[in-house]
Amino acid sequence: MLGPSSTQNDAYLACGSYMVEAVVGGKNACLFTYGQTGSGKTHSVFGGEYGRPAGKLDGVVPQMVSELFRKKTQFEKRGKFRYDLKCSLVEVGSGSTIRDLLAKEDATALRMRGDDVLGARVEAITSSKQFMILIEQTMLKRTAYSVN
């Protein structure tokens, strides 16, 4: 269990490293965070500067993406595999509202069918830097839900 004295790397080791191994093994992965507004979810997931510059304050996602690109390079150098990395970024809000944060227009409302998010934009990722730029852009579209 992670507590107040846990570091960003502790959070990565607790969940992110396992997700990287699952993705490299051909499985899908989803990082779901839940908690009260202002409790530190965004900081834990993305870090203080959203992965720019890379450092010990990187959250789980920048560390995962960096590791995925390191593994991608290793595999491709060995000529074993070719990996294409893609992502969707959605926000689940109150009342189970799901919004596509990568949509070009205002964040689009989406629907779920089973464990699939229907209609979410999928973006090809070519570098850690490109991914972190996407994260910065989506931060502007997020909704801050207040707790009364």
Side-chain angles (χ1 to χ4, degrees):
M1 187 73 167
L2 299 174
S5 62
S6 299
T7 65
Q8 296 290 62
N9 196 53
D10 292 337
Y12 170 74
L13 293 173
C15 63
S17 62
Y18 296 103
M19 292 175 66
V20 168
E21 293 308 314
V23 168
V24 169
K27 299 183 179 177
N28 291 329
C30 173
L31 179 61
F32 181 83
T33 60
Y34 178 83
Q36 188 171 14
T37 300
S39 62
K41 297 176 301 294
T42 301
H43 182 78
S44 294
V45 171
F46 297 114
E49 296 294 325
Y50 310 121
R52 286 186 352 169
K56 67 180 183 177
L57 289 181
D58 280 357
V60 172
V61 170
Q63 291 183 64
M64 287 174 58
V65 170
S66 292
E67 184 61 19
L68 282 170
F69 276 101
R70 276 192 291 276
K71 288 185 178 291
K72 175 182 174 13
T73 300
Q74 290 171 355
F75 287 134
E76 289 177 349
K77 278 184 181 177
R78 290 187 218 146
K80 291 190 173 195
F81 302 100
R82 182 175 180 272
Y83 279 94
D84 292 322
L85 301 173
K86 300 175 186 175
C87 77
S88 294
L89 294 164
V90 299
E91 176 184 67
V92 179
S94 61
S96 299
T97 304
I98 304 168
R99 297 174 58 237
D100 186 349
L101 297 177
L102 290 177
K104 293 294 183 193
E105 7 9 280
D106 283 339
T108 308
L110 304 171
R111 295 182 307 121
M112 290 287 296
R113 182 183 303 150
D115 59 355
D116 291 326
V117 178
L118 301 177
R121 182 184 170 117
V122 176
E123 188 80 28
I125 305 301
T126 58
S127 70
S128 295
K129 182 178 179 178
Q130 180 223 2
F131 181 75
M132 297 319 297
I133 290 169
L134 277 177
I135 294 299
E136 286 183 46
Q137 292 169 350
T138 61
M139 289 295 120
L140 300 173
K141 294 182 178 183
R142 290 178 55 228
T143 304
Y145 294 97
S146 61
V147 178
N148 296 327

PDB file of all heavy atoms in Angstrom, residues 92-121:
ATOM      1  N   VAL A  92     -13.563  10.115 -16.954  1.00  0.00           N
ATOM      2  CA  VAL A  92     -14.846   9.636 -16.444  1.00  0.00           C
ATOM      3  C   VAL A  92     -15.250  10.594 -15.336  1.00  0.00           C
ATOM      4  O   VAL A  92     -14.504  10.794 -14.374  1.00  0.00           O
ATOM      5  CB  VAL A  92     -14.747   8.197 -15.908  1.00  0.00           C
ATOM      6  CG1 VAL A  92     -16.094   7.731 -15.369  1.00  0.00           C
ATOM      7  CG2 VAL A  92     -14.244   7.263 -16.997  1.00  0.00           C
ATOM      8  N   GLY A  93     -16.415  11.192 -15.496  1.00  0.00           N
ATOM      9  CA  GLY A  93     -16.857  12.181 -14.527  1.00  0.00           C
ATOM     10  C   GLY A  93     -18.045  11.712 -13.725  1.00  0.00           C
ATOM     11  O   GLY A  93     -18.431  10.549 -13.776  1.00  0.00           O
ATOM     12  N   SER A  94     -18.617  12.644 -12.997  1.00  0.00           N
ATOM     13  CA  SER A  94     -19.784  12.320 -12.184  1.00  0.00           C
ATOM     14  C   SER A  94     -20.924  11.875 -13.091  1.00  0.00           C
ATOM     15  O   SER A  94     -21.039  12.322 -14.236  1.00  0.00           O
ATOM     16  CB  SER A  94     -20.198  13.526 -11.343  1.00  0.00           C
ATOM     17  OG  SER A  94     -20.542  14.595 -12.184  1.00  0.00           O
ATOM     18  N   GLY A  95     -21.745  10.982 -12.598  1.00  0.00           N
ATOM     19  CA  GLY A  95     -22.839  10.463 -13.397  1.00  0.00           C
ATOM     20  C   GLY A  95     -22.365   9.548 -14.506  1.00  0.00           C
ATOM     21  O   GLY A  95     -23.073   9.333 -15.487  1.00  0.00           O
ATOM     22  N   SER A  96     -21.143   9.034 -14.400  1.00  0.00           N
ATOM     23  CA  SER A  96     -20.552   8.121 -15.395  1.00  0.00           C
ATOM     24  C   SER A  96     -20.409   8.755 -16.770  1.00  0.00           C
ATOM     25  O   SER A  96     -20.426   8.073 -17.787  1.00  0.00           O
ATOM     26  CB  SER A  96     -21.360   6.822 -15.491  1.00  0.00           C
ATOM     27  OG  SER A  96     -21.346   6.171 -14.253  1.00  0.00           O
ATOM     28  N   THR A  97     -20.272  10.067 -16.836  1.00  0.00           N
ATOM     29  CA  THR A  97     -20.011  10.754 -18.088  1.00  0.00           C
ATOM     30  C   THR A  97     -18.592  10.438 -18.530  1.00  0.00           C
ATOM     31  O   THR A  97     -17.654  10.548 -17.742  1.00  0.00           O
ATOM     32  CB  THR A  97     -20.153  12.283 -17.911  1.00  0.00           C
ATOM     33  OG1 THR A  97     -21.445  12.559 -17.396  1.00  0.00           O
ATOM     34  CG2 THR A  97     -19.946  13.016 -19.212  1.00  0.00           C
ATOM     35  N   ILE A  98     -18.438  10.042 -19.788  1.00  0.00           N
ATOM     36  CA  ILE A  98     -17.119   9.723 -20.329  1.00  0.00           C
ATOM     37  C   ILE A  98     -16.834  10.703 -21.450  1.00  0.00           C
ATOM     38  O   ILE A  98     -17.629  10.842 -22.384  1.00  0.00           O
ATOM     39  CB  ILE A  98     -17.055   8.280 -20.859  1.00  0.00           C
ATOM     40  CG1 ILE A  98     -17.462   7.305 -19.759  1.00  0.00           C
ATOM     41  CG2 ILE A  98     -15.654   7.965 -21.374  1.00  0.00           C
ATOM     42  CD1 ILE A  98     -17.707   5.910 -20.265  1.00  0.00           C
ATOM     43  N   ARG A  99     -15.698  11.391 -21.353  1.00  0.00           N
ATOM     44  CA  ARG A  99     -15.341  12.412 -22.335  1.00  0.00           C
ATOM     45  C   ARG A  99     -14.029  12.063 -23.008  1.00  0.00           C
ATOM     46  O   ARG A  99     -13.091  11.637 -22.358  1.00  0.00           O
ATOM     47  CB  ARG A  99     -15.227  13.764 -21.641  1.00  0.00           C
ATOM     48  CG  ARG A  99     -16.551  14.209 -21.041  1.00  0.00           C
ATOM     49  CD  ARG A  99     -16.439  15.482 -20.208  1.00  0.00           C
ATOM     50  NE  ARG A  99     -15.914  16.571 -20.990  1.00  0.00           N
ATOM     51  CZ  ARG A  99     -14.817  17.261 -20.656  1.00  0.00           C
ATOM     52  NH1 ARG A  99     -14.145  16.974 -19.586  1.00  0.00           N
ATOM     53  NH2 ARG A  99     -14.419  18.256 -21.404  1.00  0.00           N
ATOM     54  N   ASP A 100     -13.995  12.277 -24.319  1.00  0.00           N
ATOM     55  CA  ASP A 100     -12.791  12.035 -25.115  1.00  0.00           C
ATOM     56  C   ASP A 100     -11.924  13.280 -25.066  1.00  0.00           C
ATOM     57  O   ASP A 100     -12.265  14.318 -25.643  1.00  0.00           O
ATOM     58  CB  ASP A 100     -13.196  11.721 -26.562  1.00  0.00           C
ATOM     59  CG  ASP A 100     -12.024  11.318 -27.428  1.00  0.00           C
ATOM     60  OD1 ASP A 100     -10.858  11.471 -26.992  1.00  0.00           O
ATOM     61  OD2 ASP A 100     -12.273  10.859 -28.548  1.00  0.00           O
ATOM     62  N   LEU A 101     -10.796  13.204 -24.381  1.00  0.00           N
ATOM     63  CA  LEU A 101      -9.918  14.365 -24.237  1.00  0.00           C
ATOM     64  C   LEU A 101      -9.021  14.591 -25.449  1.00  0.00           C
ATOM     65  O   LEU A 101      -8.378  15.624 -25.551  1.00  0.00           O
ATOM     66  CB  LEU A 101      -9.079  14.225 -22.967  1.00  0.00           C
ATOM     67  CG  LEU A 101      -9.879  14.195 -21.663  1.00  0.00           C
ATOM     68  CD1 LEU A 101      -8.950  13.973 -20.484  1.00  0.00           C
ATOM     69  CD2 LEU A 101     -10.710  15.449 -21.479  1.00  0.00           C
ATOM     70  N   LEU A 102      -8.978  13.629 -26.375  1.00  0.00           N
ATOM     71  CA  LEU A 102      -8.195  13.799 -27.601  1.00  0.00           C
ATOM     72  C   LEU A 102      -9.022  14.333 -28.763  1.00  0.00           C
ATOM     73  O   LEU A 102      -8.480  14.628 -29.814  1.00  0.00           O
ATOM     74  CB  LEU A 102      -7.548  12.471 -28.028  1.00  0.00           C
ATOM     75  CG  LEU A 102      -6.426  11.953 -27.134  1.00  0.00           C
ATOM     76  CD1 LEU A 102      -5.950  10.599 -27.643  1.00  0.00           C
ATOM     77  CD2 LEU A 102      -5.273  12.930 -27.076  1.00  0.00           C
ATOM     78  N   ALA A 103     -10.331  14.448 -28.569  1.00  0.00           N
ATOM     79  CA  ALA A 103     -11.200  14.939 -29.642  1.00  0.00           C
ATOM     80  C   ALA A 103     -10.765  16.340 -30.055  1.00  0.00           C
ATOM     81  O   ALA A 103     -10.370  17.150 -29.217  1.00  0.00           O
ATOM     82  CB  ALA A 103     -12.651  14.950 -29.180  1.00  0.00           C
ATOM     83  N   LYS A 104     -10.813  16.620 -31.348  1.00  0.00           N
ATOM     84  CA  LYS A 104     -10.388  17.927 -31.859  1.00  0.00           C
ATOM     85  C   LYS A 104     -11.329  19.041 -31.407  1.00  0.00           C
ATOM     86  O   LYS A 104     -10.899  20.136 -31.105  1.00  0.00           O
ATOM     87  CB  LYS A 104     -10.321  17.909 -33.396  1.00  0.00           C
ATOM     88  CG  LYS A 104      -9.236  17.002 -33.924  1.00  0.00           C
ATOM     89  CD  LYS A 104      -7.863  17.502 -33.568  1.00  0.00           C
ATOM     90  CE  LYS A 104      -6.803  16.610 -34.169  1.00  0.00           C
ATOM     91  NZ  LYS A 104      -5.498  16.850 -33.643  1.00  0.00           N
ATOM     92  N   GLU A 105     -12.632  18.757 -31.379  1.00  0.00           N
ATOM     93  CA  GLU A 105     -13.569  19.751 -30.879  1.00  0.00           C
ATOM     94  C   GLU A 105     -13.648  19.613 -29.370  1.00  0.00           C
ATOM     95  O   GLU A 105     -12.831  18.965 -28.779  1.00  0.00           O
ATOM     96  CB  GLU A 105     -14.956  19.642 -31.458  1.00  0.00           C
ATOM     97  CG  GLU A 105     -15.552  18.603 -32.348  1.00  0.00           C
ATOM     98  CD  GLU A 105     -14.905  17.321 -32.714  1.00  0.00           C
ATOM     99  OE1 GLU A 105     -14.069  17.285 -33.586  1.00  0.00           O
ATOM    100  OE2 GLU A 105     -15.293  16.320 -32.100  1.00  0.00           O
ATOM    101  N   ASP A 106     -14.659  20.249 -28.774  1.00  0.00           N
ATOM    102  CA  ASP A 106     -14.830  20.094 -27.327  1.00  0.00           C
ATOM    103  C   ASP A 106     -14.863  18.615 -26.983  1.00  0.00           C
ATOM    104  O   ASP A 106     -15.322  17.793 -27.774  1.00  0.00           O
ATOM    105  CB  ASP A 106     -16.135  20.754 -26.865  1.00  0.00           C
ATOM    106  CG  ASP A 106     -16.005  22.261 -26.782  1.00  0.00           C
ATOM    107  OD1 ASP A 106     -14.868  22.748 -26.694  1.00  0.00           O
ATOM    108  OD2 ASP A 106     -17.039  22.944 -26.819  1.00  0.00           O
ATOM    109  N   ALA A 107     -14.393  18.300 -25.794  1.00  0.00           N
ATOM    110  CA  ALA A 107     -14.339  16.904 -25.364  1.00  0.00           C
ATOM    111  C   ALA A 107     -15.686  16.235 -25.601  1.00  0.00           C
ATOM    112  O   ALA A 107     -16.714  16.685 -25.129  1.00  0.00           O
ATOM    113  CB  ALA A 107     -13.948  16.827 -23.895  1.00  0.00           C
ATOM    114  N   THR A 108     -15.680  15.192 -26.403  1.00  0.00           N
ATOM    115  CA  THR A 108     -16.874  14.509 -26.854  1.00  0.00           C
ATOM    116  C   THR A 108     -17.348  13.488 -25.826  1.00  0.00           C
ATOM    117  O   THR A 108     -16.553  12.751 -25.275  1.00  0.00           O
ATOM    118  CB  THR A 108     -16.560  13.766 -28.181  1.00  0.00           C
ATOM    119  OG1 THR A 108     -15.978  14.698 -29.082  1.00  0.00           O
ATOM    120  CG2 THR A 108     -17.798  13.164 -28.790  1.00  0.00           C
ATOM    121  N   ALA A 109     -18.673  13.437 -25.607  1.00  0.00           N
ATOM    122  CA  ALA A 109     -19.241  12.429 -24.715  1.00  0.00           C
ATOM    123  C   ALA A 109     -19.207  11.074 -25.410  1.00  0.00           C
ATOM    124  O   ALA A 109     -19.518  10.955 -26.591  1.00  0.00           O
ATOM    125  CB  ALA A 109     -20.674  12.802 -24.343  1.00  0.00           C
ATOM    126  N   LEU A 110     -18.815  10.046 -24.685  1.00  0.00           N
ATOM    127  CA  LEU A 110     -18.681   8.693 -25.222  1.00  0.00           C
ATOM    128  C   LEU A 110     -19.581   7.738 -24.470  1.00  0.00           C
ATOM    129  O   LEU A 110     -20.140   8.066 -23.434  1.00  0.00           O
ATOM    130  CB  LEU A 110     -17.221   8.234 -25.090  1.00  0.00           C
ATOM    131  CG  LEU A 110     -16.178   9.120 -25.740  1.00  0.00           C
ATOM    132  CD1 LEU A 110     -14.783   8.681 -25.340  1.00  0.00           C
ATOM    133  CD2 LEU A 110     -16.319   9.094 -27.252  1.00  0.00           C
ATOM    134  N   ARG A 111     -19.682   6.527 -25.001  1.00  0.00           N
ATOM    135  CA  ARG A 111     -20.463   5.478 -24.343  1.00  0.00           C
ATOM    136  C   ARG A 111     -19.579   4.254 -24.124  1.00  0.00           C
ATOM    137  O   ARG A 111     -18.593   4.071 -24.809  1.00  0.00           O
ATOM    138  CB  ARG A 111     -21.661   5.067 -25.209  1.00  0.00           C
ATOM    139  CG  ARG A 111     -22.672   6.162 -25.394  1.00  0.00           C
ATOM    140  CD  ARG A 111     -23.887   5.728 -26.210  1.00  0.00           C
ATOM    141  NE  ARG A 111     -23.524   5.126 -27.484  1.00  0.00           N
ATOM    142  CZ  ARG A 111     -23.846   3.884 -27.857  1.00  0.00           C
ATOM    143  NH1 ARG A 111     -24.526   3.101 -27.085  1.00  0.00           N
ATOM    144  NH2 ARG A 111     -23.471   3.415 -29.029  1.00  0.00           N
ATOM    145  N   MET A 112     -20.008   3.440 -23.166  1.00  0.00           N
ATOM    146  CA  MET A 112     -19.320   2.178 -22.879  1.00  0.00           C
ATOM    147  C   MET A 112     -20.172   1.022 -23.387  1.00  0.00           C
ATOM    148  O   MET A 112     -21.382   1.065 -23.302  1.00  0.00           O
ATOM    149  CB  MET A 112     -19.132   1.983 -21.372  1.00  0.00           C
ATOM    150  CG  MET A 112     -18.153   2.906 -20.714  1.00  0.00           C
ATOM    151  SD  MET A 112     -16.443   2.544 -21.086  1.00  0.00           S
ATOM    152  CE  MET A 112     -16.212   0.938 -20.393  1.00  0.00           C
ATOM    153  N   ARG A 113     -19.507  -0.004 -23.903  1.00  0.00           N
ATOM    154  CA  ARG A 113     -20.143  -1.283 -24.192  1.00  0.00           C
ATOM    155  C   ARG A 113     -19.215  -2.344 -23.637  1.00  0.00           C
ATOM    156  O   ARG A 113     -18.110  -2.521 -24.144  1.00  0.00           O
ATOM    157  CB  ARG A 113     -20.365  -1.502 -25.680  1.00  0.00           C
ATOM    158  CG  ARG A 113     -21.079  -2.851 -25.913  1.00  0.00           C
ATOM    159  CD  ARG A 113     -21.295  -3.220 -27.346  1.00  0.00           C
ATOM    160  NE  ARG A 113     -22.029  -2.228 -28.078  1.00  0.00           N
ATOM    161  CZ  ARG A 113     -21.850  -2.015 -29.389  1.00  0.00           C
ATOM    162  NH1 ARG A 113     -20.971  -2.728 -30.072  1.00  0.00           N
ATOM    163  NH2 ARG A 113     -22.541  -1.100 -30.012  1.00  0.00           N
ATOM    164  N   GLY A 114     -19.655  -2.984 -22.575  1.00  0.00           N
ATOM    165  CA  GLY A 114     -18.778  -3.921 -21.887  1.00  0.00           C
ATOM    166  C   GLY A 114     -17.587  -3.163 -21.327  1.00  0.00           C
ATOM    167  O   GLY A 114     -17.751  -2.192 -20.611  1.00  0.00           O
ATOM    168  N   ASP A 115     -16.393  -3.579 -21.730  1.00  0.00           N
ATOM    169  CA  ASP A 115     -15.199  -2.863 -21.268  1.00  0.00           C
ATOM    170  C   ASP A 115     -14.580  -2.009 -22.366  1.00  0.00           C
ATOM    171  O   ASP A 115     -13.446  -1.564 -22.253  1.00  0.00           O
ATOM    172  CB  ASP A 115     -14.164  -3.828 -20.674  1.00  0.00           C
ATOM    173  CG  ASP A 115     -13.716  -4.892 -21.658  1.00  0.00           C
ATOM    174  OD1 ASP A 115     -14.260  -4.959 -22.777  1.00  0.00           O
ATOM    175  OD2 ASP A 115     -12.803  -5.666 -21.312  1.00  0.00           O
ATOM    176  N   ASP A 116     -15.349  -1.745 -23.440  1.00  0.00           N
ATOM    177  CA  ASP A 116     -14.864  -0.903 -24.535  1.00  0.00           C
ATOM    178  C   ASP A 116     -15.475   0.491 -24.461  1.00  0.00           C
ATOM    179  O   ASP A 116     -16.675   0.635 -24.221  1.00  0.00           O
ATOM    180  CB  ASP A 116     -15.232  -1.507 -25.899  1.00  0.00           C
ATOM    181  CG  ASP A 116     -14.476  -2.788 -26.192  1.00  0.00           C
ATOM    182  OD1 ASP A 116     -13.315  -2.896 -25.762  1.00  0.00           O
ATOM    183  OD2 ASP A 116     -15.060  -3.667 -26.844  1.00  0.00           O
ATOM    184  N   VAL A 117     -14.655   1.504 -24.671  1.00  0.00           N
ATOM    185  CA  VAL A 117     -15.141   2.875 -24.800  1.00  0.00           C
ATOM    186  C   VAL A 117     -15.411   3.094 -26.285  1.00  0.00           C
ATOM    187  O   VAL A 117     -14.498   3.001 -27.106  1.00  0.00           O
ATOM    188  CB  VAL A 117     -14.113   3.903 -24.279  1.00  0.00           C
ATOM    189  CG1 VAL A 117     -14.622   5.311 -24.474  1.00  0.00           C
ATOM    190  CG2 VAL A 117     -13.787   3.644 -22.821  1.00  0.00           C
ATOM    191  N   LEU A 118     -16.660   3.342 -26.633  1.00  0.00           N
ATOM    192  CA  LEU A 118     -17.048   3.476 -28.040  1.00  0.00           C
ATOM    193  C   LEU A 118     -16.791   4.891 -28.551  1.00  0.00           C
ATOM    194  O   LEU A 118     -17.216   5.861 -27.924  1.00  0.00           O
ATOM    195  CB  LEU A 118     -18.529   3.136 -28.210  1.00  0.00           C
ATOM    196  CG  LEU A 118     -18.945   1.741 -27.765  1.00  0.00           C
ATOM    197  CD1 LEU A 118     -20.451   1.560 -27.911  1.00  0.00           C
ATOM    198  CD2 LEU A 118     -18.200   0.683 -28.558  1.00  0.00           C
ATOM    199  N   GLY A 119     -16.080   4.987 -29.656  1.00  0.00           N
ATOM    200  CA  GLY A 119     -15.877   6.262 -30.323  1.00  0.00           C
ATOM    201  C   GLY A 119     -14.698   7.085 -29.850  1.00  0.00           C
ATOM    202  O   GLY A 119     -14.507   8.203 -30.324  1.00  0.00           O
ATOM    203  N   ALA A 120     -13.892   6.584 -28.940  1.00  0.00           N
ATOM    204  CA  ALA A 120     -12.749   7.360 -28.447  1.00  0.00           C
ATOM    205  C   ALA A 120     -11.690   7.470 -29.542  1.00  0.00           C
ATOM    206  O   ALA A 120     -11.411   6.513 -30.255  1.00  0.00           O
ATOM    207  CB  ALA A 120     -12.138   6.697 -27.216  1.00  0.00           C
ATOM    208  N   ARG A 121     -11.144   8.647 -29.676  1.00  0.00           N
ATOM    209  CA  ARG A 121     -10.075   8.869 -30.649  1.00  0.00           C
ATOM    210  C   ARG A 121      -8.832   8.096 -30.213  1.00  0.00           C
ATOM    211  O   ARG A 121      -8.481   8.073 -29.032  1.00  0.00           O
ATOM    212  CB  ARG A 121      -9.778  10.358 -30.739  1.00  0.00           C
ATOM    213  CG  ARG A 121      -8.708  10.689 -31.756  1.00  0.00           C
ATOM    214  CD  ARG A 121      -8.396  12.173 -31.730  1.00  0.00           C
ATOM    215  NE  ARG A 121      -7.233  12.420 -32.527  1.00  0.00           N
ATOM    216  CZ  ARG A 121      -7.224  13.165 -33.619  1.00  0.00           C
ATOM    217  NH1 ARG A 121      -8.324  13.734 -34.031  1.00  0.00           N
ATOM    218  NH2 ARG A 121      -6.107  13.350 -34.285  1.00  0.00           N
TER     219      ARG A 121
END
